[in-house]
């Protein structure tokens, strides 16, 4: 420590001795310089030069092509550009013309200032300004009146600017702030708005034209005073050629080049996506998207052409989102058929608007059910009338198909099997999956949404749902969607297994389905994709989603005001657009498909149940399954029943005689399916009536009251004399039931028979007892208006 003190003391003494030895004028000069330096640094600290420029918002394609530009917040066309984006010849021309000593002076050129001062004094008027490029930047950043005092301020501010910025940074500010008349500033804005091209491809004649205009932008107006600009341009071309900046042939070509500059409109492509990404990146003057210009143009033209045909029947708009599954990036985005079509609300972004998805969520339910071990493609489901605590869904065509496989139910997009499956999976679990998949509206209400969500009783956006479908193409892994190249974070979440998603692929590629377009040409030229359609309630929204290993496409068609059209469907309106896009994407390309994942196996199952065969199963089919997860209980579609020799009476073990009986096999049908067969008069092998002499008391499988619904309130008009219906389902051994209302006998009914009664107001107890002594009770409330 003492050594440091000694060193400092020695150096200080040397400096003190040196200063004492200076002559008086030297000391004064040094004190003046140090004082000026200290004052300058204090001024710089207190009054820094602010170089923040409010730029126009530029939206670029993945090829760095300018797609959309908008005014800056101060209503200027000021497009940010770097030195690397402009022709080096432009920079050389600017420096030679404006400030040849730019690379060497500290922001102020003393020689030029002295010369200008002498010329102005000699002429008794302002002849020369001596402003360096740095001083011009200061003037454009902080406009002031041209006075001697303000010139002095510019000099100080120029020194401050040079203190904090490199020469290239100052040049960059310069080329971004140059005035070109009106509200156009900067080389890039002038290049696009007057020449319609990027600044790096400007010709020599165009470069010199842009170099001379900032000196007098009010008179040298491109597109207005072109002849005057040509005269001034050629003067400077000849002057620059003497400096060897370019050769004589280049000069001659530039001298004869006509000036065809005119005022171009700023690019306004992808207007909906531009608005979206601008909101996501409010502080970025340049936003580079993943939009592929070739794909974008094709999708826009396809949407416009198709919608123009649809408008004849009242369908006004469409939207499309195209995702690259390999990068999870949006490569094409169309929000409406025409942004400027005010009569069709074209400025509404259909890709980001909340709509009802119809049946489009069903593939995710089936994938979840497969992962939960509830179904495989060949599992038999029931498409019959069902009551889910008061919710009675119907199919699209209002018909029922009885028993069918899970793959058929999904391919046919049947509602009742889907609701039944959602009930078994658990609607809360399903909503949780959808929420994790990016469906925000559902995420906010996942604890309150019921079974109707699977049929479209919710809100989604086209972008969200297309992103979720791309999850099926990436082995069930959901990736965060990328709109811009600066999106570095790739958030992933595994929603479904690769095995379940592969089974969904196979189902959704099938052609035996109702959502093929009616147009024969489309049916012939089908792309090799997995796809699913949806149509919302009231035919307000038509959807179609498709994917292959490379791309996922989502299409919405409808009216932004929610007007429904009777003819509207996903198959006939959205799917033709989907097919045309995929045919374009795969044109002249070798088709690829998903590889069957490890952990997915084959097995033989009974065609009557989709379960591993039991002893009595004879019709076997091949099925995909996930070992240790898929259902593995043995098939029991047939059950043995003891009957008499005539087959007219059945026995249980309690009343089985010592002789005179045999064992027969009957279908093990659910009560609901039996009721459906009875009502539709579909023949089936019925179990004979049970032994009337049997004294066994039955406790299980009591009849199910399907109408009315437990705990519900029924509101009726008193003057209308309305009645309520009573209906039931029961096991196959039941032939007759007995109805009671408030513990008073009402009527008896055979299987399939519906009864009606006139209720009294208030709480009502309904009881149903079968001929085996089993009973079910419910309670409802009736209110009269």
């Amino acid at each position: 420590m003492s050594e440091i003190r000694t060193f400092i003391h020695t150096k200080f003494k040397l400096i003190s001795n040196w200063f004492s030895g200076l002559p008086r004028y030297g000391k004064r000069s040094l004190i003046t310089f140090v004082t000026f330096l200290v004052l300058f640094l204090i001024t710089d600290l207190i009054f820094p030069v602010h170089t923040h420029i409010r730029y126009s918002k530029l939206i670029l394609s993945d090829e760095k092509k300018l797609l959309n530009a908008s005014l800056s917040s101060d209503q200027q066309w000021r497009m940010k550009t770097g030195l690397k984006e402009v022709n080096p010849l432009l920079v050389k021309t600017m420096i030679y013309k404006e400030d040849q000593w730019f690379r060497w002076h500290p922001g102020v050129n003393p020689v030029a200032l002295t010369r200008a001062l002498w010329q102005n004094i000699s002429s008794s008027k302002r002849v020369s300004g001596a402003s360096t490029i740095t001083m011009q930047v200061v003037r454009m950043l902080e406009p002031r009146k041209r006075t001697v005092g303000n010139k002095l301020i510019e000099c100080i501010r120029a020194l401050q600017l040079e203190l904090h910025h490199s020469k290239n940074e100052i040049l960059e500010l310069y080329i971004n702030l140059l005035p070109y008349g009106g509200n156009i500033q900067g080389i890039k804005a002038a290049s696009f708005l007057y020449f319609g091209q990027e600044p790096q491809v400007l010709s020599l004649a165009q470069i010199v034209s842009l170099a001379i205009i900032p000196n007098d932008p009010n008179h040298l107006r491109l597109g207005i005073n072109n002849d005057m600009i040509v005269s001034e341009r050629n003067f400077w071309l000849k002057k620059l050629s003497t400096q060897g900046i370019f050769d004589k042939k280049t000069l001659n070509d530039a001298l004869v080049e006509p000036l065809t500059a005119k005022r171009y409109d700023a690019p306004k492509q992808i207007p909906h996506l531009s608005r979206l990404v601008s909101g996501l990146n409010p502080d970025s003057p340049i936003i580079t998207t993943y939009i592929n210009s070739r794909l974008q143009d094709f999708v826009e033209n396809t949407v416009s052409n198709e919608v123009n045909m649809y408008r004849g029947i009242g369908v006004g708009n469409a939207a499309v989102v195209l995702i690259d599954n390999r990068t999870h990036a949006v490569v094409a985005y169309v929000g409406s058929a025409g942004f400027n079509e005010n009569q069709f609300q074209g400025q509404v972004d259909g890709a980001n608007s909340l709509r009802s998805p119809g049946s489009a969520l069903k593939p995710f339910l089936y994938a979840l059910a497969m992962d939960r071990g509830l179904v495989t493609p060949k599992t038999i489901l029931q498409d019959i009338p069902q009551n889910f605590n008061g919710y009675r869904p119907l199919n699209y065509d209002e018909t029922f198909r009885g028993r069918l496989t899970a793959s058929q139910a999904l391919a046919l997009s049947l509602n009742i099997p889907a609701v039944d499956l959602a009930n078994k999976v658990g609607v809360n679990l399903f909503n949780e999956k959808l929420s994790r998949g990016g469906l925000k509206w559902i995420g906010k209400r996942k604890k309150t949404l019921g079974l109707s969500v699977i049929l479209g009783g919710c809100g989604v956006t086209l972008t969200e749902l297309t992103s979720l479908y791309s999850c099926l193409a990436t082995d069930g892994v959901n990736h965060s969607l990328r709109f811009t190249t600066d999106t570095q974070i790739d958030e992933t979440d595994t929603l479904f297994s690769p095995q379940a998603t592969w089974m969904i692929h196979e189902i959704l590629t099938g052609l035996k389905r109702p959502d093929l377009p009616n147009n024969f040409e489309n049916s012939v030229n089908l792309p090799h994709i997995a796809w699913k359609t949806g149509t919302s309630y009231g035919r307000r929204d038509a959807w179609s989603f498709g994917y292959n290993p490379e791309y996922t496409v989502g299409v919405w068609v409808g009216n932004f005001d929610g007007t429904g059209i009777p003819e509207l469907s996903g198959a006939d309106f959205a799917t033709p657009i989907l097919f045309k896009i995929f045919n374009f994407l795969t044109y002249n390309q070798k088709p690829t498909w998903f590889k069957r994942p490890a952990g997915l196996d084959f097995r033989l199952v009974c065609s009557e149940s989709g379960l591993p065969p039991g002893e009595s199963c004879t019709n076997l089919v091949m099925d995909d399954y996930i070992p240790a997860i898929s259902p593995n209980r043995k098939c029991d579609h047939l059950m043995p029943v003891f009957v008499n020799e005539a087959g007219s009476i059945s026995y249980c073990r309690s009343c089985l005689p010592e002789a005179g009986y045999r064992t027969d096999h009957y279908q093990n049908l659910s009560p609901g399916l039996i009721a459906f067969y009875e009502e539709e008069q579909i023949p089936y092998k019925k179990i004979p009536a049970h032994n009337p002499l049997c004294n066994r008391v039955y406790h299980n499988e009591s009849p199910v009251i399907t109408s009315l619904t437990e705990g519900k309130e029924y509101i009726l008009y008193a003057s209308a004399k309305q009645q309520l219906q009573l209906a039931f389902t029961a096991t196959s051994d039941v032939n007759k039931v007995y109805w009671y209302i408030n513990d008073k006998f009402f009527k008896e009914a055979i299987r399939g028979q519906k009864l009606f009664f006139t209720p009294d107001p208030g709480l009502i107890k309904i009881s149903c007892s079968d001929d085996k002594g089993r009973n079910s009770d419910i309670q409802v409330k009736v209110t009269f208006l």
Side-chain angles (χ1 to χ4, degrees):
M1 195 70 179
S2 59
E3 293 177 355
I4 297 175
R5 290 197 195 97
T6 303
F7 176 79
I8 295 173
H9 178 73
T10 302
K11 293 299 181 182
F12 181 77
K13 189 173 182 180
L14 287 173
I15 294 172
S16 179
N17 292 337
W18 172 79
F19 183 76
S20 300
L22 289 176
R24 180 176 297 178
Y25 68 86
K27 292 178 181 179
R28 289 176 179 174
S29 299
L30 182 60
I31 291 172
T32 301
F33 173 76
V34 172
T35 302
F36 176 79
L37 180 61
V38 171
L39 289 174
F40 172 75
L41 293 176
I42 292 173
T43 301
D44 182 65
L45 184 63
I46 299 174
F47 304 105
V49 179
H50 296 288
T51 57
H52 174 72
I53 301 174
R54 290 181 283 183
Y55 287 107
S56 299
K57 187 78 74 174
L58 306 182
I59 312 297
L60 310 183
S61 70
D62 63 341
E63 308 100 336
K64 300 297 188 293
K65 174 187 174 183
L66 181 60
L67 298 177
N68 192 285
S70 55
L71 289 166
S72 64
S73 59
D74 57 350
Q75 302 303 300
Q76 300 293 312
W77 287 113
R78 193 184 295 118
M79 303 180 184
K80 185 177 183 180
T81 184
L83 286 179
K84 294 181 180 180
E85 296 180 61
V86 299
N87 192 320
L89 192 58
L90 175 60
V91 177
K92 288 182 180 180
T93 303
M94 288 289 189
I95 291 177
Y96 175 79
K97 179 178 174 297
E98 296 295 329
D99 188 0
Q100 297 180 35
W101 295 94
F102 172 72
R103 295 290 182 184
W104 293 276
H105 63 64
V108 177
N109 188 337
V111 176
L113 277 176
T114 303
R115 184 185 67 246
L117 181 62
W118 173 253
Q119 290 175 347
N120 292 342
I121 293 174
S122 300
S123 304
S124 299
K125 62 179 181 180
R126 185 179 179 278
V127 176
S128 176
S131 291
T132 63
I133 285 179
T134 310
M135 293 170 67
Q136 291 181 52
V137 171
V138 169
R139 189 183 309 128
M140 289 184 287
L141 287 171
E142 303 172 351
R144 294 182 179 88
K145 291 182 179 180
R146 297 198 174 192
T147 65
V148 175
N150 286 339
K151 177 65 74 174
L152 179 61
I153 293 174
E154 281 180 14
C155 292
I156 296 173
R157 302 297 267 174
L159 294 173
Q160 288 181 258
L161 198 60
E162 293 271 354
L163 180 65
H164 296 285
H165 297 275
S166 67
K167 290 291 186 179
N168 282 347
E169 289 174 339
I170 294 171
L171 265 178
E172 196 167 288
L173 289 171
Y174 183 67
I175 64 174
N176 279 292
L177 291 170
L178 287 170
Y180 285 96
N183 63 343
I184 300 176
Q185 294 184 13
I187 292 293
K188 194 169 192 173
S191 178
F192 273 112
L193 299 178
Y194 286 128
F195 296 112
Q197 56 190 12
E198 299 274 357
Q200 58 263 45
V201 298
L202 294 174
S203 67
L204 174 60
Q206 292 169 332
I207 286 171
V208 176
S209 297
L210 293 182
I212 63 174
I213 290 173
N215 293 120
D216 192 4
N218 292 326
H219 292 93
L220 299 176
R221 296 289 294 271
L222 284 165
I224 299 176
N225 302 321
N226 284 359
D227 292 340
M228 187 185 303
I229 294 172
V230 168
S231 176
E232 187 74 8
R233 177 199 73 184
N234 290 347
F235 168 79
W236 278 100
L237 279 169
K238 294 172 183 177
K239 189 171 183 178
L240 290 166
S241 67
T242 62
Q243 304 301 312
I245 296 178
F246 40 80
D247 56 48
K248 192 168 184 64
K249 182 180 182 307
T250 304
L251 169 66
N252 292 334
D253 291 341
L255 288 172
V256 298
E257 180 179 316
L259 183 59
T260 58
K262 64 176 183 178
R263 184 65 162 81
Y264 289 88
D265 291 330
K268 290 296 181 183
Q269 294 174 262
I270 57 167
H272 297 99
L273 182 62
S274 296
R275 189 165 56 189
L276 175 63
V277 297
S278 295
L280 296 174
N281 304 271
D283 299 323
S284 300
I286 300 177
I287 301 173
T288 303
T289 68
Y290 288 100
I291 293 297
N292 181 295
S293 298
R294 184 179 69 93
L295 296 180
Q296 180 70 26
D297 290 344
F298 177 82
V299 173
E300 286 182 358
N301 291 333
T302 300
V303 169
S304 178
N305 293 338
E306 293 295 311
V307 170
N308 282 336
M309 291 189 295
Y310 297 162
R311 284 175 177 169
I313 60 171
V315 180
N317 246 306
V320 173
V321 173
L322 172 54
I323 297 173
D324 188 325
N325 296 328
R326 296 155 292 189
T327 61
H328 322 296
V330 175
V331 295
Y333 187 103
V334 177
S336 69
F339 186 78
N340 296 317
E341 295 178 335
N342 293 330
Q343 68 272 35
F344 296 104
Q345 300 88 41
Q347 295 187 21
V348 174
D349 185 356
N352 205 32
S353 298
L354 207 62
R355 316 293 298 193
S356 167
S359 297
L361 298 178
K362 289 175 182 174
F364 309 107
L365 171 66
Y366 280 81
L368 178 57
M370 290 172 178
D371 280 334
R372 302 289 290 182
L374 296 177
V375 297
T376 62
K378 298 299 183 183
T379 298
I380 297 299
L381 304 179
Q382 295 185 145
D383 180 29
I384 59 177
Q386 295 194 57
N387 182 349
F388 301 93
N389 195 27
Y391 179 46
R392 296 181 174 86
L394 292 174
N395 288 322
Y396 187 80
D397 55 5
E398 298 185 1
T399 62
F400 306 97
R401 291 162 179 80
R403 303 169 71 251
L404 73 173
T405 65
S407 60
Q408 290 173 325
L410 177 55
L412 296 173
S413 194
L414 298 179
N415 293 341
I416 297 173
V419 175
D420 189 25
L421 197 57
N423 191 46
K424 294 174 180 176
V425 167
V427 70
N428 289 336
L429 176 61
F430 181 55
N431 290 339
E432 175 65 25
K433 283 284 184 180
L434 297 179
S435 174
R436 286 168 51 192
L439 305 189
K440 297 177 182 177
W441 190 92
I442 293 177
K444 293 177 181 178
R445 301 162 177 82
K446 58 187 176 183
K447 293 184 180 180
T448 59
L449 293 173
L451 290 173
S452 63
V453 69
I454 189 59
L455 304 185
C458 57
V460 301
T461 70
L462 176 64
T463 302
E464 291 174 346
L465 201 45
T466 307
S467 177
L468 189 57
Y469 266 89
S470 73
C471 162
L472 296 177
T474 54
D475 292 334
V477 179
N478 187 51
H479 295 261
S480 55
L481 206 55
R482 295 183 174 184
F483 292 100
T484 61
T485 56
D486 61 353
T487 306
Q488 301 298 329
I489 300 176
D490 182 16
E491 297 179 355
T492 61
D493 187 4
T494 301
L495 301 181
F496 312 105
S497 69
Q499 296 80 17
T501 56
W502 193 89
M503 288 188 278
I504 296 298
H505 304 333
E506 295 303 293
I507 295 172
L508 296 184
T509 53
L511 300 181
K512 293 182 179 179
R513 50 200 292 178
D515 55 354
L516 272 174
N518 290 326
N519 187 311
F520 178 76
E521 180 184 357
N522 280 330
S523 299
V524 171
N525 299 313
L526 290 178
H528 185 45
I529 59 172
W531 90 94
K532 179 71 180 74
T533 63
T535 306
S536 68
Y537 179 77
R539 297 181 181 263
R540 296 181 176 90
D541 308 280
W543 305 84
S544 191
F545 297 90
Y547 61 90
N548 62 17
E550 288 79 33
Y551 297 100
T552 298
V553 178
V555 180
W556 171 87
V557 177
N559 293 305
F560 289 141
D561 62 4
T563 301
I565 302 297
E567 298 86 358
L568 187 67
S569 69
D572 293 328
F573 287 79
T575 301
I577 297 176
L578 180 81
F579 285 176
K580 287 184 179 181
I581 293 173
F582 268 109
N583 283 333
F584 180 80
L585 290 171
T586 58
Y587 182 72
N588 279 343
Q589 290 188 7
K590 185 178 180 180
T592 61
W593 197 243
F594 303 97
K595 294 181 179 179
R596 186 181 179 91
L600 184 65
D601 212 340
F602 299 102
R603 70 180 179 185
L604 287 171
V605 296
C606 177
S607 63
E608 297 295 328
S609 64
L611 294 171
E615 295 180 359
S616 57
C617 298
T618 56
N619 297 322
L620 305 183
V621 294
M622 192 66 71
D623 191 17
D624 298 304
Y625 81 109
I626 308 173
I629 293 178
S630 296
N632 59 3
R633 72 180 189 276
K634 293 291 185 179
C635 174
D636 59 353
H637 82 281
L638 291 178
M639 60 180 181
V641 178
F642 301 118
V643 298
N644 61 7
E645 293 294 343
S648 59
I649 296 176
S650 62
Y651 303 105
C652 65
R653 293 193 179 274
S654 298
C655 64
L656 187 65
E658 294 182 1
Y661 70 91
R662 59 185 174 86
T663 302
D664 201 353
H665 286 84
Y666 294 83
Q667 285 182 289
N668 190 8
L669 303 177
S670 67
L673 191 60
I674 293 173
F676 172 70
Y677 284 168
E678 294 282 352
E679 184 166 344
E680 298 295 323
Q681 298 182 355
I682 298 174
Y684 68 99
K685 188 177 180 181
K686 299 179 182 180
I687 298 175
H690 194 67
N691 180 13
L693 301 178
C694 180
N695 57 7
R696 176 187 172 187
V697 178
Y698 291 83
H699 297 285
N700 298 324
E701 297 181 329
S702 55
V704 177
I705 299 174
T706 57
S707 178
L708 306 162
T709 301
E710 165 67 25
K712 297 298 181 181
E713 180 181 8
Y714 294 85
I715 301 175
L716 309 177
Y717 289 99
S719 59
K721 296 182 180 180
Q722 291 173 289
Q723 293 186 315
L724 296 179
Q725 175 182 279
L726 298 176
F728 74 98
T729 61
T731 56
S732 57
D733 59 345
V734 173
N735 295 306
K736 188 182 296 185
V737 298
Y738 306 92
W739 289 100
Y740 295 83
I741 299 176
N742 289 330
D743 295 326
K744 293 182 179 180
F745 177 72
F746 174 59
K747 283 183 181 179
E748 65 178 47
I750 61 173
R751 181 186 298 279
Q753 182 180 0
K754 295 181 175 62
L755 301 178
F756 295 86
F757 74 99
T758 303
D760 295 322
L763 295 176
I764 300 176
K765 179 183 177 182
I766 307 292
S767 303
C768 182
S769 299
D770 63 21
D771 51 12
K772 301 294 183 293
R774 296 169 294 196
N775 182 76
S776 295
D777 297 322
I778 65 169
Q779 184 171 275
V780 300
K781 182 180 180 180
V782 174
T783 302
F784 284 105
L785 299 179

